[in-house]
Amino acid sequence: MDLTRKVLAEFKDLHTYFHTEEGIVQSVSGVSFRIHEGETVALVGESGRGKSVTALSMMGLIEQPPGKIMGGSILFENEDLLQANRKTIHRLRGRNLSMIFQEPMSSLNPVLTIGEQLAEPLIEHLHLSKKAARARAVELIERVGIPRPEAIAAAYPHELSGGMLQRIMIAIALSCDPKSLIADEPTTALDVTIQAQILDLLREMKEERGCLCC
């Protein structure tokens, strides 16, 4: 860790609970850590220990109810995300904060083409025209190592393999050149060979773009 680097994000005593019929589940309780610019941080733990909930708390994606952030703070470039309004979170999410989710089939819209879903954040956050966003979408598909990018852009999620879908998720997450990239178990349910390819791709993207992977 290079302590001379700027602190990009900091979790301070984060508590995220879920209210269920059986009682309160303390999914995240007192989590604190810092992430410096250009640093890769890995959260390690058994399934169900709150790793994904920690990431979702940062992204403002905790469903309320049943979930609720009970205390603490999450600073991103010195701005407390837990105190920010919806407009600010929407502006940051996708543009400066991005996330690769575990299950691409449940994260992608089945009725929109891959190209449309890649173009959406480009139009929303970078204000590209539909034509420019479409061209950029094809470039992103090619950049993550998928052949026939034009054909893939016109395809629907159910027409792609699990490995290809995960690459598309990476392309979407990186589309707006975020400062922080959260990868939530991006190799889940993939075979060993594809897992290695995805991890190599993430390392390449980090070196190329200088974004944070955690």
Side-chain angles (χ1 to χ4, degrees), residues 171-183:
I172 292 173
L174 293 172
S175 60
C176 295
D177 292 319
K179 294 180 179 179
S180 174
L181 173 64
I182 300 171

Side-chain angles (χ1 to χ4, degrees), residues 68-192:
K68 186 175 182 180
I69 297 176
M70 304 297 292
S73 61
I74 303 175
L75 303 179
F76 182 76
E77 294 189 322
N78 294 319
E79 181 170 13
D80 191 348
L81 300 180
L82 303 187
Q83 301 300 320
N85 57 37
R86 288 182 177 272
K87 185 177 181 180
T88 299
I89 293 298
H90 178 74
R91 173 177 55 81
L92 290 173
R93 193 165 56 215
R95 185 66 186 93
N96 290 325
L97 292 170
S98 197
M99 183 169 176
I100 304 168
F101 297 94
Q102 286 188 29
E103 299 292 342
M105 276 305 294
S106 60
S107 301
L108 294 170
N109 191 325
V111 301
L112 296 179
T113 66
I114 297 300
E116 288 172 328
Q117 296 184 66
L118 271 164
E120 184 177 357
L122 297 170
I123 295 170
E124 173 70 23
H125 295 290
L126 301 186
H127 310 295
L128 298 185
S129 66
K130 288 185 178 180
K131 182 178 180 180
R134 166 75 182 190
R136 177 60 178 154
V138 173
E139 291 176 5
L140 286 164
I141 293 170
E142 184 175 25
R143 179 63 193 88
V144 295
I146 301 178
R148 302 183 301 111
E150 287 279 2
I152 295 299
Y156 290 88
H158 72 272
E159 299 178 282
L160 276 60
S161 68
M164 293 174 75
L165 288 174
Q166 197 59 279
R167 288 173 183 268
I168 292 299
M169 291 297 294
I170 293 172
I172 292 173
L174 293 172
S175 60
C176 295
D177 292 319
K179 294 180 179 179
S180 174
L181 173 64
I182 300 171
D184 185 15
E185 298 187 33
T187 59
T188 298
L190 301 177
D191 65 50
V192 176

